[in-house]
Amino acid sequence: MVKAIAFKAKGKDGRYLCDGIDCGDWADENLDTKVLSDALLVIRKDLAEPGEKDIEDCYKFFASLPLSNDVQFIKDNYDPVPVELTQEELKIVRKRNEW
């Protein structure tokens, strides 16, 4: 199992911020997904457990992207939570993100 951080939607059972519109659940108004491998995840390249600094670095990265990225919306509507990925889920995420 690989430790990661997902962004759990506040007030929604088992839904996470998706990793882009191609990963979103169109049945949800914010495209929040129930599929962990489709969630936006913080995973360290060395696969060590991510911490607070990794989460803050993620927020800074979002803010630096050229498209409109409302970091405050994410902070207001999602809680960073620890999750564990299977090797298969990690493989899906790596393929999608090309790493």
Side-chain angles (χ1 to χ4, degrees):
M1 299 296 270
V2 176
K3 295 182 185 283
I5 299 290
F7 296 88
K8 185 188 174 307
K10 293 179 180 178
K12 295 181 185 177
D13 191 32
R15 288 201 175 263
Y16 302 95
L17 179 63
C18 69
D19 191 13
I21 61 170
D22 292 340
C23 298
D25 179 351
W26 291 91
D28 182 88
E29 71 271 12
N30 292 326
L31 303 182
D32 295 335
T33 183
K34 290 184 175 185
V35 180
L36 193 54
S37 61
D38 285 343
L40 179 71
L41 299 164
V42 177
I43 304 171
R44 293 177 49 103
K45 291 236 183 226
D46 63 4
L47 302 183
E49 185 172 2
E52 286 299 318
K53 181 182 182 322
D54 299 299
I55 296 168
E56 287 306 314
D57 288 347
C58 185
Y59 289 142
K60 288 177 189 172
F61 175 72
F62 293 155
S64 75
L65 294 173
L67 299 175
S68 175
N69 297 292
D70 189 350
V71 173
Q72 193 58 51
F73 176 84
I74 295 171
K75 289 181 177 182
D76 291 345
N77 293 284
Y78 299 88
D79 290 320
V81 296
V83 294
E84 290 188 348
L85 301 172
T86 64
Q87 288 299 320
E88 188 59 34
E89 288 169 325
L90 178 62
K91 185 177 173 183
I92 292 166
V93 172
R94 280 183 159 165
K95 183 175 182 180
R96 181 177 61 246
N97 291 293
E98 300 177 355
W99 66 277

